[in-house]
Amino acid sequence: MSVLIVLAAATALAGCADASKATPQSTTFTFSGTTLDVRAHEVPTDLVAADRDDIKVTLWFDARGTNPTSSWSLAGKTLNLRAGCNGWADCAAKFRVEVPRHVRVLRDGRKTKLVGTASPGKSGTPSPAASGTP
């Protein structure tokens, strides 16, 4: 019986999760501060300086299996980004955060460098909420 359960779980997870093939979801946050602390909770995250007045977050998230969860929220100067799975699952996620050029950005409370450039044009589909589950 246990062999069948393991075999069924392995079959369900066949193929690896790949964030680069996921449909992006994005949202924006109004931000008037001068310092932003991004807490990505071990999810790969690109931080990009952009010609914008708000903060734009884009998530690519691919999950195989059960219990995928993702969320984003801005409380004061802290942007929390989460994506992952529990149980028998394979997840891959990546965030991209575009911030106004004048904003100082921290990663987990420490100085960090911004990478890349802002992408012009369509970068994803809008999320239904600016806080909560993308």
Side-chain angles (χ1 to χ4, degrees):
M1 180 74 162
S2 62
V3 172
L4 289 175
I5 292 172
V6 171
L7 183 59
T11 302
L13 294 177
C16 293
D18 184 353
S20 70
K21 294 181 181 175
T23 301
Q25 299 176 354
S26 62
T27 192
T28 58
F29 295 96
T30 301
F31 187 73
S32 59
T34 57
T35 301
L36 178 69
D37 187 5
V38 178
R39 307 280 174 149
H41 305 280
E42 300 183 19
V43 177
T45 303
D46 288 338
L47 304 173
V48 180
D51 294 321
R52 57 185 318 117
D53 296 324
D54 56 3
I55 296 170
K56 181 177 181 182
V57 179
T58 304
L59 167 65
W60 292 265
F61 186 39
D62 185 23
R64 314 281 172 141
T66 59
N67 302 318
T69 59
S70 61
S71 66
W72 42 38
S73 64
L74 178 65
K77 67 173 190 171
T78 303
L79 177 64
N80 275 295
L81 308 172
R82 296 181 187 271
C85 296
N86 296 317
W88 290 90
D90 179 23
C91 291
K94 180 179 180 180
F95 284 102
R96 176 184 179 86
V97 180
E98 296 181 22
V99 298
R101 292 188 188 282
H102 70 274
V103 172
R104 179 176 173 239
V105 179
L106 305 175
R107 186 186 301 262
D108 298 320
R110 296 185 203 140
K111 289 182 186 179
T112 189
K113 292 184 179 181
L114 301 182
V115 297
T117 57
S119 55
K122 185 177 177 183
S123 65
T125 55
S127 173
S131 176
T133 303

